Amino acid sequence: MPFSQACENNKQPILHILQQELQYSTHVLEVGSGTGQHSVYFAPRLAHLTWQTSDVLAHHSMINAWHAAYPAPNLYSPLTFDLAVDSLPINATSNQPYDAVFTANTLHIISWSLVEKLFELVGEALPINGKLIIYGPFNENGHYTSASNQQFDSSLRQRDPKSGIRHLEDIIALAKTHMLKLSDKHAMPANNQLLVFQKTK
């Protein structure tokens, strides 16, 4: 099966925070499920909620392969979600609104216009007090937080000039325009962060 070493490395630290932040959540949408490794690790360890995966159609086969190998009763097959053309996907089977959205290592891959689209869609979909949780690298105060992040950003921009590590201050400002307030920020291994936004009135 397709394998991401990064997912393997960060899954436990992320889960530790999710167990705190999602203890009162019931239906989570994962945006950009990638290989599916995170979903099969998180879902059975967050058994009180349902975990809905989503990604572009090209990634569904590898997500489904992981789901077949490690099934969980609260884990849902991926919905098609391409930020460039789609609205936030809804699972008719579960018939539940999302009260949390999780995404890992996506904001530095997609263009800034798609980052804006994501916050717009999530801001519209989440109920009051619903959470948006984002994992990945971020710059702070206009600077890289490590030399490795600077090198990573350079490689990202060489591959796609529209990608790159985002500035934390820009993300917080964007979130506010969609009634999403930063409620917590967790330092994570390998110079990453986990940001928790909450929908406000």
Side-chain angles (χ1 to χ4, degrees):
M1 293 187 296
F3 181 82
S4 167
Q5 188 61 51
C7 284
E8 189 67 22
N9 294 344
N10 64 35
K11 65 183 184 181
Q12 200 286 325
I14 294 175
L15 175 66
H16 177 70
I17 304 300
L18 294 185
Q19 287 172 326
Q20 302 172 38
E21 296 289 351
L22 298 178
Q23 59 182 310
Y24 301 115
S25 300
T26 59
H27 193 38
V28 179
L29 172 68
E30 180 183 15
V31 173
S33 298
T35 62
Q37 285 169 252
H38 274 162
S39 65
V40 301
Y41 186 75
F42 297 154
R45 292 165 177 83
L46 298 166
H48 67 285
L49 53 75
T50 57
W51 191 275
Q52 174 62 67
T53 54
S54 73
D55 211 317
V56 295
L57 186 59
H59 292 170
H60 284 205
S61 60
M62 58 185 176
I63 297 170
N64 285 325
W66 276 91
H67 287 195
Y70 301 96
N74 62 329
L75 180 59
Y76 286 81
S77 299
L79 300 175
T80 301
F81 185 30
D82 183 340
L83 266 170
V85 296
D86 294 329
S87 299
L88 212 65
I90 300 298
N91 187 344
T93 304
S94 69
N95 197 31
Q96 296 182 66
Y98 304 121
D99 53 11
V101 175
F102 170 79
T103 189
N105 289 325
T106 54
L107 268 58
H108 57 274
I109 300 298
I110 61 178
S111 67
W112 179 250
S113 64
L114 293 185
V115 173
E116 293 176 319
K117 175 81 174 294
L118 176 63
F119 275 85
E120 177 186 356
L121 293 177
V122 172
E124 292 172 352
L126 283 180
I128 300 300
N129 296 322
K131 292 184 176 182
L132 169 61
I133 301 178
I134 303 171
Y135 172 87
F138 295 93
N139 296 328
E140 291 194 64
N141 301 312
H143 301 288
Y144 296 105
T145 59
S146 68
S148 61
N149 276 2
Q150 183 174 7
Q151 293 168 1
F152 180 48
D153 184 63
S154 178
S155 67
L156 287 169
R157 295 179 186 277
Q158 287 176 9
R159 187 192 64 189
D160 180 0
K162 293 183 180 180
S163 66
I165 295 177
R166 307 304 173 188
H167 294 283
L168 178 62
E169 295 79 10
D170 292 343
I171 294 297
I172 293 173
L174 173 62
K176 285 182 180 178
T177 66
H178 298 289
M179 298 184 293
L180 294 163
K181 181 181 179 181
L182 184 70
S183 61
D184 216 335
K185 178 168 71 77
H186 303 271
M188 305 296 283
N191 303 303
N192 289 299
Q193 297 183 48
L194 195 145
L195 310 179
V196 181
F197 295 91
Q198 195 157 19
K199 177 77 172 285
T200 60
K201 294 181 180 179

